Amino acid sequence: MILIKLKAHRGCHTGILLLIAIFFLLNLKSIAQDNAPVKFGKVKVEDFTLNSPVIDSNSNAVVVLDKGEITFEGNQKGWFSYIFKKTKRIKIINNKGFDLATVKLLLYQDGQNKEKVENLNGTTYNEDNGTITETRLSSGDFLDEKFDKNHFYKKFALPAIKAGCIIEYSYTIKSDFIFNIPAWEFQSAECPTLWSEFSVNIPGLLTYMSSFQGSHKYYIDKSGEGFKVYSVSRVADNGGALTSREAERLAVSTQTILHRWVMKDVPTFNVENYISSPSNFIDKIRFQLSKTYDGETYHDVANNWEKVTEELMKREDFGEPLVEENNWLDKIVEPLLQNNDNTLQKAQKIYYYIQKNYSCVDHYDKYIKTSLQDVVKKKSGTVGDLNLLLIAMLKHEKIEASPVLLSTREFGWNSPTYPLMEKLNYVISRTKINSRDYYLDATIPFLPFGKLPLNCYNGHARVIASDTTAVYFEPDSLKENSRVSLFIFNNDNKEMDGTFAREMGFFESLDARTNIDKSDLQAYEKKIKSSYPEDISLSDLKIDSLDLIEYPVSLKFNFKLSFSENSDIIYFNPFMGEAVKENPFYAAERMYPVEMPYKTHNTYTLNMEIPKGYKVDELPKSSRALLNDKEGMFEYLISADANNIQMRCILEVNKATFSSEDYQTLRDFYALIVKKEAEQIVFKKIN
């Protein structure tokens, strides 16, 4: 690195700068030989007709060009800013692709320092009989929207959207937050992409670690070196800001790292069954600033959890309200508790008080929007508002509690080694009582104390406390157990009656309580009855333990089977609507892992009298199948004598996550289950 103080007269540097510019251009040209197939801002009639192997009948739109470039410039704060330029062209095929004409840019801010959007332009092109009309964005089409303390949106919508139109937009983001340069997605979950290009030109004084995820190869992957002089203004040593005339300007000359990535004809990301979030697998490259160099020494600037914890606990919208005295909570907490309550009882009463008396209005905001006093006044708030209020109330009673940050399943994985705050969208509480950790989320109605909702089971989470402990909530730690029992017997009217009993698993119980609360018990009963065939009539339906949320919900009812007395043959499916009817893994191939929400153990038993006047003509055969030895088991046992049939079926899956290599085995396993559970018992009339 060379530092050159710039003076008023700079003619002596002209020759040097000219050579530098030539050197830079030659290097840039060497990595830019293959250009995008279209030119931004120049739309021709033939551009409205597209041909590509990745466009099919399911394509509602096509990204024709998506191009991004990151460069750096010296700023007036003694260091660098980055400049992100983006241009994009999309062909809208039908009205299902209209949403792509609305764009939200998530921008970062820290106090008064904000990322700035410049040169925002957009145009919609419509073609009619060879004539192209252009409709441009106007200033009234832009809107700013606050997201949280450190983020806000710049939103705009392209005008004159019609099926068959082409939209283009471009913008430039200037930012001093060089630790936070944007990731680049080469693939879209909405539509195919014909050309996606991303390039960087990074000063050698900055070292970024890049990581790529995805399954498609680069069409172009070229790197090189350049050279550039950056003009940097230095602030006075005494800390006082100098005027523009007094500021010392430096010419920082350094090598630059050039890299260009292109993907071509990238198919739509297919969101398959049992995949937690497309963001975990979509073709993407991201960057983390790891080191800076001042000409003499390398400085490690990689973020760490200790630093993040310290900063979070000083924030007035996160940690600061948790360490205050909070005497105003006296009148709220004291009426909830009794003198003889132990620590666990106190924690449970506080937890259930918030759960039953406060409503969550936003499950994706980890901070306090206004103040905890305001949350109490409104009896509502974000997940951050409510769970941080829970922690404050627990700490008020001298119960050890700390925030835990995580990313929910639908939001994607977060890194256990490098904290990226934008990847953490949820906060819960870790509460220590008698050397046991309880993880609490008071925002979910009917969720028992010490339990978490399914979407929190997404791997790494981080306790924001002095120990900055990493904890892991894995789907493989969950097992959903359910039992169904049927008894079917003959009555005096030559008909068949039966009883049905289901003991629901934990998450099935939670869903049942939630659904009943959203509508009513009668609507829930009606839905159950409508799920059975017309020849099965239900009565005396009872749901037990609805109000005992620590216990599983039980469903019981009586039913009557209608068989025609004149039928010579009766076909009867022993699962009575409880069978697995469709294979959830319908695709012939799969590129991504199968991520089930939990392990399962389902037991189904049937005890049935043979209908009067009939005998068993055909009975399904007993069978047993293993999934990868010990990863799952399906057992179907059935037997009959002169009067009765007995059956027991167990489906057990001992693993929640399967690799794509195991997909075909898993698919075959469920195909066997669907086929077996569709088999009928055949009764033949006795002459």
Side-chain angles (χ1 to χ4, degrees), residues 584-595:
F585 308 109
Y586 49 82
E589 297 179 348
R590 187 177 178 112
M591 296 180 63
Y592 309 105
V594 174
E595 300 173 297

Side-chain angles (χ1 to χ4, degrees), residues 446-458:
F446 313 111
L447 186 69
F449 182 90
K451 298 288 187 179
L452 294 176
L454 266 180
N455 66 344
C456 285
Y457 287 86
N458 191 37

Side-chain angles (χ1 to χ4, degrees), residues 38 42 105 114 298 315 381 389 406 578 595 629 631 644:
V38 297
K42 295 184 178 180
L105 308 179
K114 295 183 177 182
Y298 281 99
R315 287 181 63 135
L389 174 62
L406 57 85
E578 297 293 317
E595 300 173 297
D629 192 17
E631 292 179 355
N644 298 284

Side-chain angles (χ1 to χ4, degrees), residues 297-309:
T297 308
Y298 281 99
H299 302 276
D300 189 353
V301 297
N303 218 347
N304 59 65
W305 286 106
E306 289 75 16
K307 188 190 302 182
V308 165
T309 296

Side-chain angles (χ1 to χ4, degrees), residues 313-347:
M313 293 310 292
K314 292 178 180 177
R315 287 181 63 135
E316 61 183 15
D317 59 353
F318 190 86
E320 189 177 276
L322 306 181
V323 297
E324 295 174 348
E325 288 293 333
N326 291 327
N327 293 327
W328 59 274
L329 285 172
D330 291 347
K331 61 181 180 181
I332 300 171
V333 178
E334 288 179 2
L336 305 177
L337 310 178
Q338 297 179 354
N339 292 332
N340 60 346
D341 285 340
N342 60 35
T343 303
L344 180 59
Q345 289 170 329
K346 288 180 180 179

Side-chain angles (χ1 to χ4, degrees), residues 178-283:
I178 59 173
F179 63 88
N180 201 26
I181 68 173
W184 183 261
E185 293 185 353
F186 296 90
Q187 190 177 24
S188 167
E190 287 83 21
C191 61
T193 301
L194 305 190
W195 186 278
S196 182
E197 176 177 341
F198 187 62
S199 61
V200 294
N201 187 349
I202 300 174
L205 306 181
L206 307 175
T207 301
Y208 285 89
M209 296 183 296
S210 64
S211 60
F212 173 76
Q213 67 174 42
S215 57
H216 297 96
K217 294 182 179 180
Y218 291 119
Y219 175 67
I220 298 172
D221 182 1
K222 292 186 177 181
S223 61
E225 292 183 352
F227 197 83
K228 188 173 180 179
V229 178
Y230 298 89
S231 177
V232 176
S233 296
R234 176 179 289 173
V235 179
D237 292 337
N238 61 10
L242 297 175
T243 65
S244 58
R245 288 184 180 179
E246 295 171 329
E248 185 179 28
R249 294 174 60 223
L250 300 174
V252 180
S253 59
T254 178
Q255 283 188 320
T256 60
I257 306 301
L258 310 174
H259 209 123
R260 180 173 179 243
W261 299 272
V262 175
M263 282 194 179
K264 184 179 178 183
D265 290 328
V266 186
T268 307
F269 181 88
N270 183 23
V271 181
E272 301 168 316
N273 282 355
Y274 297 111
I275 190 166
S276 56
S277 173
S279 67
N280 293 333
F281 306 102
I282 207 163
D283 295 323

